[in-house]
Amino acid sequence: MNDTFLRACRGEKVDYTPIWIMRQAGRYLPEYQAVRAKADFLTLCKTPELAAEVTMQPVDILGVDAAILFSDILIPLEPMGMRLRFLEKKGPRLSKPVRKMKDIEALRTIEPKKDVPFVLDTIKILRKRLRKKVPLIGFSGAPFTLATYMIEGGSSKNFLETKKMMFSAPEVFHALMQKITETTISYLRAQIKAGAQAVQIFDSWAGALAPDDYREFSLPYVKETIENLKSHDVPIIYFVNNCGGLLELARSSGADVIGIDWRVDIGKAITRIGKETAIQGNLDPLALFSDDTTLKTKVKDILKKGSRAKGHIFNLGHGILPQTPPEKAKTLVKLVHELSS
Ligand code: CP3
């Protein structure tokens, strides 16, 4: 197996810089569209054979150094007791958003084997299929990011309801976070036991918080999650979108790897993170709409700066856009491999 990705996560010596791409299985690939034409998104997530098929696509088509389980961060919210739908072109909707203590008391803590067996079955199929290829990454949302969806009822611009609860009823907010954290821990543990060889925690919206609020309302729950996974000895990646004001705090989460967005200079981020933690990132996803010469310059710069880190895993600074030409994604993988060898 090509274990370059796992080695970089641990800060071990590698022959080249490994790369995978956030949202690498998705709508920019015609091969994904073909499978997706047969089933809606949630059905795809809940059908292990199909989920495994689309997980494999970027591994076979792009040559990335890791596979990531095909699923969604919102999947565990359904067995917690919320009704989840994905509306075409509009994104996720959770009906009856959580607003009051009684809504939180009604939420369940999930039992992964019983509540999300399809996720664990997908992982088992994938480990067989990936045996001579690359490692498999499992994932979850960070408790804060999941809380925003549960409170807002979907995606949000300024997180009005979330911050209202945080600032005016902090004990309600903390009770919700505690419940989500319990679910997140058992969900990630189950993924690791089923065969996930690394896990990524997505804190996509933590960057909307002031540092003091992040320290109080998000970070303790990420720490608790990570502490409860440490004994499993798989690398833990903590991705914080819009991390610029939060890097030192994010590092204190205890993650093995910090994933960063493109709005910070990766060289400066490494200085701030220090020598104990590896780094992942951080090309602007929109760089995949530039010509090959421009792309090469940007990749070179990130690789050069990234080489100072304890370990560097190349990635985009956030998910790849559906409009991205697949050929550019292929070119990116080739460039990273060639320029770092
Ligand atoms: O390839 C991979 O990265 C693995 C699969 C994956 C998906 N979602 C598939 C998906 C992963 C890791 C996620 C994580 C996820 N989901 C996050 C965190 C990462 C990030 O982008 O910040 C978030 C916030 C979500 C919630 C979510 N899921 C939204 C807001 C949307 C709608 C917006 C959109 O891009 O359509 C989704 C849908 C979704 N998740 C799709 C895919 C492939 C598109 C569904 C489709 O095929 O129509």
Side-chain angles (χ1 to χ4, degrees), residues 95-326:
S95 27
K96 293 210 206 129
V98 173
R99 298 281 163 84
K100 296 247 162 11
M101 195 58 116
K102 68 166 179 18
D103 304 330
I104 293 156
E105 283 160 0
L107 294 169
R108 297 179 52 235
T109 308
I110 69 161
E111 293 171 49
K113 273 194 183 148
K114 192 172 119 255
D115 291 322
V116 286
F118 48 87
V119 170
L120 310 180
D121 291 342
T122 305
I123 292 174
K124 286 176 197 153
I125 296 174
L126 280 166
R127 280 302 303 277
K128 283 193 200 120
R129 237 169 259 183
L130 286 163
R131 190 163 291 156
K132 294 206 171 73
K133 295 188 172 176
V134 295
L136 176 64
I137 306 170
F139 70 89
S140 77
F144 173 76
T145 289
L146 292 177
T148 67
Y149 285 98
M150 296 172 83
I151 299 168
E152 306 290 339
S155 301
S156 174
K157 235 197 184 120
N158 43 29
F159 306 100
L160 175 66
E161 297 297 333
T162 307
K163 290 190 181 179
K164 263 201 313 210
M165 188 193 286
M166 269 172 48
F167 297 146
S168 64
E171 69 293 348
V172 178
F173 188 83
H174 282 296
L176 174 61
M177 291 296 282
Q178 198 54 58
K179 236 172 179 164
I180 300 172
T181 304
E182 276 167 42
T183 281
T184 303
I185 291 167
S186 67
Y187 186 49
L188 286 174
R189 272 201 179 134
Q191 291 187 32
I192 293 167
K193 280 191 189 145
Q197 290 154 291
V199 292
Q200 174 154 318
I201 300 169
F202 286 92
D203 219 344
S204 305
W205 311 130
L209 294 173
D212 282 341
D213 294 324
Y214 171 77
R215 189 202 324 265
E216 180 176 350
F217 293 106
S218 173
L219 182 61
Y221 302 97
V222 177
K223 267 190 185 157
E224 187 181 338
T225 305
I226 291 174
E227 262 161 32
N228 278 279
L229 299 173
K230 277 280 170 190
S231 64
H232 293 284
D233 208 29
V234 305
I236 299 164
I237 308 168
Y238 178 39
F239 168 68
V240 185
N241 189 26
N242 252 314
C243 64
L246 306 173
L247 267 179
E248 291 79 6
L249 289 169
R251 174 192 60 178
S252 75
S253 65
D256 301 288
V257 184
I258 298 293
I260 63 170
D261 63 279
W262 69 92
R263 301 166 191 89
V264 286
D265 177 272
I266 190 169
K268 291 188 179 136
I270 291 164
T271 305
R272 290 168 64 189
I273 282 173
K275 285 283 168 198
E276 302 292 311
T277 310
I279 201 154
Q280 175 175 282
N282 73 338
L283 183 69
D284 183 344
L286 274 296
L288 294 176
F289 295 82
S290 64
D291 60 84
D292 287 2
T293 315
T294 307
L295 181 62
K296 186 173 176 177
T297 307
K298 290 182 187 299
V299 169
K300 249 190 180 159
D301 181 58
I302 291 173
L303 285 171
K304 181 159 172 265
K305 290 172 176 164
S307 66
R308 276 183 43 242
K310 181 189 182 197
H312 178 210
I313 300 108
F314 202 101
N315 206 319
L316 301 181
H318 202 179
I320 189 168
L321 291 187
Q323 299 86 344
T324 307

